[in-house]
Amino acid sequence: MTQEELDRIWNRGETHHRREPEDKTFRVRNVLNILFMLAVVVGIALYMYTPMELFGYPLWGLVVGLAIIIKTIEVSLRMIFK
């Protein structure tokens, strides 16, 4: 490899940037992702430690179902506002 090729490989990371935080859905998507992660953690904790039921369904299942709905909304926003 020549020095020019090595320099190009070394500096390749400078050309790839993340999305700008000024994106109009950036904050909304971040909040939805945080809510999704919290709901999944709470759902797993409920599964492990409580046999509680609500409306005849296990509470952990309802919480994980809510997490799936939140993630679906976030993915939809990402696809709509590319």
Side-chain angles (χ1 to χ4, degrees):
M1 292 188 126
T2 65
Q3 186 62 37
E4 185 178 308
E5 290 173 337
L6 290 173
D7 289 340
R8 189 178 51 208
I9 291 170
W10 182 260
N11 294 325
R12 187 181 317 170
E14 296 174 6
T15 60
H16 299 290
H17 297 286
R18 296 175 65 189
R19 267 189 204 181
E20 293 296 319
E22 288 79 30
D23 183 12
K24 58 184 169 181
T25 60
F26 186 77
R27 287 189 179 177
V28 174
R29 287 181 40 225
N30 278 345
V31 169
L32 288 173
N33 276 323
I34 291 169
L35 288 175
F36 166 73
M37 289 185 274
L38 289 174
V40 169
V41 169
V42 169
I44 292 171
L46 288 172
Y47 175 76
M48 299 298 276
Y49 299 112
T50 62
M52 192 182 306
E53 290 189 0
L54 186 65
F55 304 118
Y57 296 102
L59 186 59
W60 68 268
L62 296 175
V63 173
V64 171
L66 176 65
I68 292 170
I69 291 169
I70 291 171
K71 190 62 179 180
T72 303
I73 293 169
E74 189 272 329
V75 169
S76 299
L77 287 175
R78 186 177 352 139
M79 290 172 55
I80 290 170
F81 297 106
K82 276 188 177 179

